[in-house]
Amino acid sequence: MQFLRVKGEKSHHKVVVYALSTCVWCKMTKQFLKDNEVEYEYVDVDLSTEEDKQKIRQEIQNKGGSLSYPTTIIDDKIVVTGFRKDLLKEALGI
Amino acid sequence: MTGITIEQVRKRAEADAKTYGYFLTPDAELLQGLLEGLRVNEERYGYASCPCRLASGNFDYDRDIICSCDYRDPDVAEFGACYCRLYVNKDVYEGKAELPSVPERRSLEKQARAFLTPATAKEEKHEAAAGEEKMIEIIPKIWYCKQCGYMVFRDDPPFICPICKAKKEFFAEVKTRIDFLG
């Protein structure tokens, strides 16, 4: 699966964003992380192959997430559904 | 490729909002992003499915999330905006209420359809066909506008009458009954 990594100064959390390329809220989430210098990786699910979509679905659901976008998973355990600045700030300590 | 422009998408959304008594989101940047997402989806799939939901590319599976989606009316009624927040109510439009966070109303089962491979989609189709027989028992409601007589076949009455703009309260349900003779 092709995750794209966006470099940032704050790299002590593992931040993974499952996004849609067409979704403006996903774009805002990416921008918010970037603006706050948080290092993260993301995948645009709608542009993924069928095989990868299956893997993504399993990964999100295994971690207790729903199939809504954006889904941000922090340190493999905190799942944030939607662009929720408050929850992201709290989980990332920013 | 349908070659639709963002202006065409905007005009369509504006007309739809006007017809049903909604407003487009007041945040210009957000609006532009949402319209662009709709435009891309229309080019990609041939229909403008919700930019904030994963579409399957199979029209039958995506029918409920083509904008304006089946969930817009109950979401605007409950939260003041639809799921992607393209359509909002008057209070949100005028800044009297904040743009809300809207949880996904679409069932997980339907969301999961977007992840079907062509092979599993086939199996699912058989199951769906079996499910359709059960569906016959569920009879959607018929509503009529007491002001102009407009009739509509849906679960709840529209927010306003698309013809005469009467409010939701002007709608009354037409009671239906199925009798079997002989």
Side-chain angles (χ1 to χ4, degrees):
Chain A
M1 210 184 312
Q2 197 64 45
F3 279 97
L4 293 167
R5 178 168 288 274
V6 179
K7 291 271 178 205
E9 276 175 22
K10 295 168 193 155
S11 57
H12 51 289
H13 286 292
K14 182 189 171 197
V15 182
V16 183
V17 181
Y18 294 94
L20 298 180
S21 69
T22 52
C23 171
V24 66
W25 297 99
C26 299
K27 284 186 193 135
M28 287 187 200
T29 304
K30 292 173 189 170
Q31 192 61 44
F32 173 77
L33 293 171
K34 203 176 170 193
D35 289 347
N36 282 283
E37 295 285 342
V38 175
E39 182 156 322
Y40 69 96
E41 48 187 68
Y42 74 92
V43 60
D44 284 326
V45 185
D46 57 323
L47 302 179
S48 301
T49 63
E50 294 301 321
E51 203 180 311
D52 283 348
K53 278 184 194 167
Q54 295 290 345
K55 286 183 199 157
I56 291 166
R57 178 190 171 183
Q58 278 173 3
E59 271 188 32
I60 296 176
Q61 292 193 311
N62 283 347
K63 298 205 167 82
S66 58
L67 300 175
S68 305
Y69 305 90
T71 287
T72 308
I73 301 181
I74 299 152
D75 295 330
D76 288 321
K77 52 178 194 270
I78 303 169
V79 180
V80 177
T81 305
F83 176 43
R84 293 287 304 272
K85 271 191 210 175
D86 51 340
L87 297 179
L88 290 172
K89 277 185 181 171
E90 190 187 324
L92 295 165
I94 51 177
Chain B
M1 294 286 276
T2 52
I4 192 163
T5 67
I6 195 156
E7 274 317 302
Q8 286 172 300
V9 178
R10 183 194 304 274
K11 283 202 175 113
R12 192 170 57 195
E14 278 171 352
D16 194 40
K18 205 175 169 195
T19 302
Y20 290 98
Y22 299 123
F23 296 85
L24 297 187
T25 196
D27 182 329
E29 200 183 327
L30 174 64
L31 179 61
Q32 192 71 11
L34 288 165
L35 296 173
E36 174 60 15
L38 283 169
R39 192 196 64 77
V40 170
N41 276 350
E42 180 144 353
E43 289 222 339
R44 192 186 289 169
Y45 305 115
Y47 45 84
S49 66
C50 178
C52 297
R53 290 178 168 116
L54 183 63
S56 67
N58 177 332
F59 177 77
D60 284 331
Y61 289 163
D62 298 337
R63 202 188 285 265
D64 60 322
I65 54 167
I66 295 172
C67 188
S68 54
C69 71
D70 287 4
Y71 311 99
R72 177 183 69 176
D73 291 352
D75 280 340
V76 179
E78 187 174 348
F79 303 104
C82 69
Y83 177 68
C84 73
R85 284 154 275 186
L86 174 61
Y87 292 100
V88 300
N89 68 11
K90 199 166 183 257
D91 281 353
V92 174
Y93 180 72
E94 290 176 350
K96 289 178 192 158
E98 269 186 44
L99 195 61
S101 181
V102 182
E104 175 62 291
R105 189 182 290 272
R106 193 183 193 215
S107 70
L108 190 61
E109 187 193 4
K110 283 189 176 169
Q111 291 180 63
R113 284 174 173 179
F115 291 88
L116 294 176
T117 58
T120 49
K122 233 179 192 175
E123 286 167 27
E124 182 96 347
K125 223 169 194 174
H126 287 298
E127 283 171 27
E132 263 167 34
E133 284 172 24
K134 284 185 212 152
M135 289 274 287
I136 295 169
E137 291 166 20
I138 306 161
I139 304 163
K141 294 172 182 169
I142 302 172
W143 302 87
Y144 80 99
C145 172
K146 290 194 276 187
Q147 187 161 283
C148 75
Y150 165 76
M151 286 178 80
V152 63
F153 194 57
R154 51 192 276 165
D155 293 336
D156 295 300
F159 184 62
I160 62 162
C161 173
I163 306 300
C164 74
K165 311 293 176 202
K167 286 186 178 170
K168 195 174 188 168
E169 293 75 24
F170 273 77
F171 277 82
E173 193 185 344
V174 177
K175 293 284 178 197
T176 51
R177 199 176 71 185
I178 298 175
D179 288 334
F180 295 95
L181 301 173

